[in-house]
Amino acid sequence: MAKRRLSLQQRRRIGTNRERALERLDTDNPDHVSTERAGLVTARYGREADVVDPEHPEQPRQRCYLRTHLEPVVGDRVLWQSGGRRGVITAVAPRRSVLRRRDNNQVRILAANIDQVGIVIAPEPEPHANLVDRFLAAAELEGMSALILVNKCDLGSAAGRQAVDAICASHGALGYPVLRVSAHTGAGIDELRARLSGQVSIFCGQSGVGKSSLINRLFPGTDATVGALSDSGAKGRHTTTTARFYPVPGGAVIDSPGIREFGVECPDPQRLMAGFIELAPLAMQCRFRDCAHREDPGCAIVAAILRGEVDPRRLVSFHQLRTAP
């Protein structure tokens, strides 16, 4: 059924009401006497969402309906009103960062207001450097820091462990922190917990790398659903179907659904280059401003690759993102 088209007057009234509601998110305002409350979205289910008190996220969640035209995601700050068994979300505050994923011709926001992206890899399923590059580019473009987490260090095939070591070496050389952890043994968990404190982080990666297992180790009693690898090609099954929010001291961890493909939403090739921290400064040194960074004369990136100063696979990742539909 087609969506009902709104008149210009209706759209203006919706916009005005939303602006007034957002103004009430300023809880420091002494004139704040509305029954609306500030909230933080911890999970989204269709046209409903779970909300907690931003100052006390460990307290019980409130299930809320969504007002028409509102599309909050996990991590959003909102206003909501109580209403019997279900509350109602009435406004969504502006976001300071978002993690977007392009899926075919659609763009989905996985979570909002994130400080740090934890990219989880493991020897099994075997990791792909290109997927890591895509997560890193998305983080850089949104001004979020990134951390590479290696789980299941003692498992997997020799080829899988070699792929992990190659990613750790190449991306660690770029300055990205690499932390080896084990959800099974608890190795590295204390250091990981320290890196998560005071920040809102999101765990991203392929299905089956153990993101939910890490959540269970970090937050005993959480019982996040954990699945086994499938028999076909040791690929992970999708056991986490929606992003979930878990509070830590001064921040939170968001567990995201596992994915096998991740498209970065950035149609501008020049801006996309900013997602590759070692390539962007070199691109400024190319002879021509419209350099395609392939066989163009005077390309500083290609020259650096020939000198062995840049991993050629990073330029391949850039071109794959640049030409993605």
Side-chain angles (χ1 to χ4, degrees):
M1 184 174 67
K3 292 184 178 180
R4 181 172 63 90
R5 299 190 66 176
L6 301 177
S7 68
L8 178 60
Q9 183 177 2
Q10 288 173 318
R11 291 198 300 269
R12 285 176 176 171
R13 184 164 57 248
I14 290 171
T16 300
N17 291 341
R18 180 176 181 275
E19 290 176 359
R20 290 174 178 172
L22 288 175
E23 289 176 357
R24 294 194 293 274
L25 276 172
D26 181 10
T27 55
D28 293 331
N29 184 351
D31 298 327
H32 179 80
V33 295
S34 171
T35 58
E36 290 173 315
R37 312 176 193 177
L40 181 67
V41 176
T42 61
R44 169 82 183 270
Y45 309 97
R47 298 306 300 169
E48 297 181 358
D50 284 346
V51 174
V52 296
D53 182 342
E55 303 302 323
H56 302 282
E58 73 285 351
Q59 293 184 358
R61 300 182 294 268
Q62 169 69 49
R63 183 65 57 88
C64 293
Y65 295 117
L66 310 181
R67 283 273 176 87
T68 306
H69 309 299
L70 293 183
E71 296 292 342
V73 298
V74 173
D76 267 329
R77 291 182 62 90
V78 298
L79 278 177
W80 68 279
Q81 294 174 324
S82 59
R85 295 180 58 188
R86 292 284 193 272
V88 179
I89 293 178
T90 58
V92 180
R95 297 158 175 159
R96 56 185 171 81
S97 67
V98 294
L99 183 62
R100 297 182 179 90
R101 174 193 176 193
R102 173 170 283 282
D103 188 2
N104 295 323
N105 293 324
Q106 294 184 332
V107 177
R108 295 179 54 204
I109 298 179
L110 299 181
N113 302 317
I114 303 164
D115 301 308
Q116 177 175 247
V117 178
I119 305 166
V120 185
I121 62 175
E124 187 176 297
E126 188 171 324
H128 302 289
N130 176 266
L131 181 59
V132 175
D133 288 339
R134 291 176 177 231
F135 282 125
L136 290 174
E140 293 289 346
L141 292 171
E142 283 290 329
M144 300 178 285
S145 62
L147 169 68
I148 298 175
L149 302 174
V150 183
N151 192 25
K152 305 181 182 180
C153 300
D154 54 338
L155 301 178
S157 64
R161 290 194 294 271
Q162 289 175 359
V164 165
D165 290 342
I167 290 173
C168 291
S170 62
H171 293 75
L174 297 176
Y176 291 110
V178 176
L179 180 59
R180 294 179 182 267
V181 297
S182 173
H184 178 65
T185 68
I189 293 298
D190 288 342
E191 183 179 351
L192 173 58
R193 188 177 284 112
R195 286 182 176 271
L196 298 174
S197 179
Q199 299 191 75
V200 176
S201 305
I202 184 169
F203 284 175
C204 300
Q206 297 168 260
S207 298
V209 294
K211 297 186 300 298
S212 295
S213 296
L214 286 175
I215 291 292
N216 287 332
R217 172 63 76 162
L218 286 164
F219 310 100
T222 298
D223 294 329
T225 304
V226 177
L229 295 178
S230 66
D231 294 330
S232 59
K235 295 180 179 179
R237 296 188 178 99
H238 295 279
T239 52
T240 300
T241 57
T242 184
R244 295 299 299 256
F245 182 101
Y246 301 91
V248 297
V253 178
I254 298 172
D255 184 18
S256 69
I259 61 174
R260 297 192 182 104
E261 296 182 359
F262 184 86
V264 178
E265 171 61 11
C266 185
D268 182 357
Q270 291 186 341
R271 183 169 182 269
L272 177 61
M273 181 62 77
F276 294 78
I277 56 175
E278 80 282 27
L279 303 185
L282 291 170
M284 301 295 292
Q285 303 173 25
C286 292
R287 181 183 302 174
F288 302 107
R289 289 188 62 183
D290 60 349
C291 182
H293 314 299
R294 294 186 182 274
E295 298 178 355
D296 308 65
C299 177
I301 295 178
V302 173
I305 290 174
L306 294 176
R307 294 194 301 268
E309 299 171 359
V310 171
D311 186 341
R313 291 174 297 184
R314 292 276 288 170
L315 183 59
V316 171
S317 292
F318 166 78
H319 285 306
Q320 288 178 342
L321 279 176
R322 183 180 183 179
T323 58

